[in-house]
């Protein structure tokens, strides 16, 4: 950060205090000698005025170079993350040494960044390929389990569904920071998105005997359908995971506007609420047998931030949790008869 004029002046005084003290010392010695030799006051004053004018000119030139050097180095600091152009803040040897040191450090940093980028790209490519390939055996197992309708196959199908959801979470995690993240903002039917998410979890609702209440009031909002669906699915997954009996209620509040998902589950402790969106944070519920990954809500908030939406969670332990997805950052609109 560039310093203010007074701060620059003080920094200059500190940097060149030895020279300034030496100059003042010389003036003091000269004054003592003139006094001891009883030289005419007019001649002494004239000499001091000339010295002062000459010294002031040199000081202005020196201070100007000091300020210019500071600005040059600040400019280099701002651009050094992208490039490092040749610079010459001073012609003296120490300045050239500083330039060589900075250039060497910059080149070393660029080499490390390039190596890390290459390693990260390889890792991302591997995990992306793995996530896509594992979907094939998951789909095959799901088909095999559906051939025979039995309690055991139903339970196995539910566990297989969880595996598929974790794979989708991995893919979303990888895509979120990718340069090719395919956000497509368009008017979308919120009811259609919610219905699709509910259909995906219908088997879990039936298996756990959880009642669903959904107020299907048609509403259209500007968003990305795929990414908003992922967020709603994660919230439904959490609601089903932590609700043993009771119901899950989904409603659209056109006044805000927002999508509100409430459950009658075990709730979240008040001390955990401020940290539930942190990466890897599982909280008391996640550590008490649920084996939470601590990534679901973290991804939800990141995705909603990118969509310019908001998310708020309130909860009462033993009574349930309410998640409110605010869709009012973009102007939500109704399109009667469309879509």
């Amino acid at each position: 950060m560039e310093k203010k004029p007074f701060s620059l002046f003080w920094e200059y005084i500190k940097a060149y205090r030895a020279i300034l003290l030496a100059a003042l010392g010389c003036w003091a010695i000269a004054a003592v000698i003139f006094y001891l030799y009883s030289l005419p006051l007019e001649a002494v004053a004239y000499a001091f005025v000339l010295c002062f004018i000459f010294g002031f000119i040199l000081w202005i030139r020196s201070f100007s170079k000091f300020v210019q050097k500071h600005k040059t180095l600040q400019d280099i600091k701002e651009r050094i993350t992208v490039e490092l152009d040749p610079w010459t803040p001073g012609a003296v040897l120490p300045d050239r040494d500083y330039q060589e040191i900075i250039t060497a450090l910059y080149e070393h940093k660029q080499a490390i960044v390039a190596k890390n980028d290459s390693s990260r790209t390889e890792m991302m490519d591997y995990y992306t390929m793995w996530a896509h390939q594992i979907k094939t055996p998951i789909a095959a197992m799901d088909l095999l389990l559906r051939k025979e309708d039995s309690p055991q196959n139903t339970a196995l199908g539910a566990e297989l569904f969880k595996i598929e959801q974790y794979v989708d979470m991995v893919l979303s995690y990888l895509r979120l920071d990718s340069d090719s993240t395919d956000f497509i903002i368009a008017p979308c039917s919120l009811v259609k998105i919610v219905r699709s998410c509910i259909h995906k979890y219908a088997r879990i609702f039936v298996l756990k005997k959880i009642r669903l209440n959904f107020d299907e009031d048609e509403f259209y909002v500007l968003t990305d359908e795929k990414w908003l669906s992922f967020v709603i699915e994660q919230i439904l997954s959490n609601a089903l995971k932590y609700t043993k009996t009771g119901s899950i209620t989904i409603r659209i509040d056109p006044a805000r506007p927002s999508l509100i998902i409430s459950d009658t589950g075990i709730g979240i402790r008040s001390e955990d609420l401020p940290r539930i969106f942190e990466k890897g944070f599982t909280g008391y519920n996640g550590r008490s047998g649920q084996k939470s990954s601590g990534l679901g809500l973290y991804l939800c908030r990141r995705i909603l931030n990118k969509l310019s939406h908001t998310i708020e969670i309130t909860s009462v332990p033993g009574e349930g949790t309410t998640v409110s997805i605010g869709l009012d950052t973009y102007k939500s609109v109704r399109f009667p008869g469309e879509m």
Side-chain angles (χ1 to χ4, degrees):
M1 184 176 65
E2 195 168 322
K3 294 182 178 297
K4 295 180 180 180
F6 179 78
S7 299
L8 278 175
F9 177 75
W10 181 245
E11 292 295 334
Y12 175 82
I13 295 297
K14 290 195 294 184
Y16 293 95
R17 59 182 177 273
I19 297 176
L20 294 173
L21 288 174
L24 290 174
C26 290
W27 279 23
I29 292 171
V32 170
I33 292 175
F34 289 161
Y35 173 76
L36 293 176
Y37 280 87
S38 300
L39 295 177
L41 182 61
E42 184 180 348
V44 173
Y46 184 66
F48 269 92
V49 168
L50 290 178
C51 289
F52 177 80
I53 294 172
F54 181 68
F56 184 75
I57 293 172
L58 290 179
W59 177 82
I60 291 294
R61 186 170 180 272
S62 174
F63 183 68
S64 176
K65 283 188 175 182
F66 179 82
V67 173
Q68 185 59 42
K69 184 175 179 178
H70 171 68
K71 290 181 177 179
T72 301
L73 292 174
Q74 287 293 311
D75 182 57
I76 290 171
K77 187 176 75 173
E78 294 293 331
R79 294 183 293 106
I80 200 168
T81 54
V82 180
E83 61 180 347
L84 182 63
D85 295 331
W87 56 282
T88 311
V92 295
L93 182 61
D95 286 331
R96 295 199 298 270
D97 292 337
Y98 286 137
Q99 180 174 352
E100 290 175 3
I101 291 171
I102 292 173
T103 302
L105 290 173
Y106 176 79
E107 291 175 352
H108 181 63
K109 174 204 165 189
Q110 290 299 97
I112 293 174
V113 169
K115 183 179 178 180
N116 288 340
D117 286 344
S118 177
S119 299
R120 187 175 185 277
T121 301
E122 289 180 5
M123 182 186 70
M124 296 278 285
D125 290 343
Y126 171 76
Y127 284 117
T128 302
M129 179 186 67
W130 174 86
H132 281 292
Q133 287 183 341
I134 203 171
K135 279 181 167 287
T136 302
I138 288 175
M141 285 188 285
D142 186 54
L143 288 173
L144 291 172
L145 290 172
R146 287 176 184 272
K147 285 184 177 180
E148 183 181 345
D149 189 10
S150 66
Q152 182 180 8
N153 282 8
T154 301
L156 287 172
E159 295 303 316
L160 189 63
F161 177 74
K162 292 179 184 178
I163 295 174
E164 187 177 7
Q165 293 307 106
Y166 282 124
V167 172
D168 288 339
M169 185 185 293
V170 170
L171 281 173
S172 297
Y173 184 79
L174 294 173
R175 288 171 180 161
L176 197 57
D177 288 322
S178 172
D179 294 333
S180 58
T181 301
D182 53 341
F183 285 103
I184 302 174
I185 305 299
C188 301
S189 168
L190 198 53
V191 170
K192 178 183 174 183
I193 294 173
V194 174
R195 279 179 188 163
S196 175
C197 298
I198 292 172
H199 178 73
K200 196 169 185 178
Y201 282 87
R203 186 190 305 180
I204 310 299
F205 274 100
V206 173
L207 186 65
K208 297 192 69 173
K209 298 179 181 178
I210 302 296
R211 188 173 69 257
L212 173 67
N213 304 313
F214 178 33
D215 182 11
E216 299 189 22
D217 233 356
E218 187 58 278
F219 193 77
Y220 289 83
V221 64
L222 288 173
T223 190
D224 181 280
E225 183 174 347
K226 184 185 74 173
W227 287 101
L228 183 59
S229 295
F230 173 83
V231 171
I232 296 173
E233 287 172 11
Q234 288 300 311
I235 295 170
L236 280 177
S237 175
N238 284 347
L240 287 165
K241 183 189 298 184
Y242 296 111
T243 303
K244 296 179 180 179
T245 58
S247 64
I248 293 175
T249 301
I250 304 174
R251 64 184 180 88
I252 298 169
D253 181 2
R256 290 187 57 180
S258 60
L259 178 68
I260 301 170
I261 302 174
S262 305
D263 63 59
T264 57
I266 60 177
I268 304 171
R269 291 188 170 190
S270 57
E271 59 266 29
D272 288 342
L273 275 174
R275 300 187 58 194
I276 54 178
F277 295 112
E278 292 181 13
K279 182 179 179 181
F281 181 74
T282 57
Y284 175 80
N285 295 337
R287 292 190 297 270
S288 59
Q290 296 293 342
K291 298 181 180 179
S292 173
S293 66
L295 287 177
L297 290 177
Y298 164 76
L299 287 175
C300 286
R301 187 174 69 170
R302 287 199 60 196
I303 291 168
L304 291 174
N305 283 343
K306 286 179 178 288
L307 292 173
S308 293
H309 300 329
T310 60
I311 182 170
E312 296 177 3
I313 296 181
T314 57
S315 184
V316 178
E319 295 184 15
T321 301
T322 298
V323 180
S324 176
I325 301 175
L327 306 168
D328 53 347
T329 305
Y330 281 125
K331 184 181 179 183
S332 302
V333 290
R334 298 174 184 270
F335 294 92
E338 293 185 13
M339 302 178 67

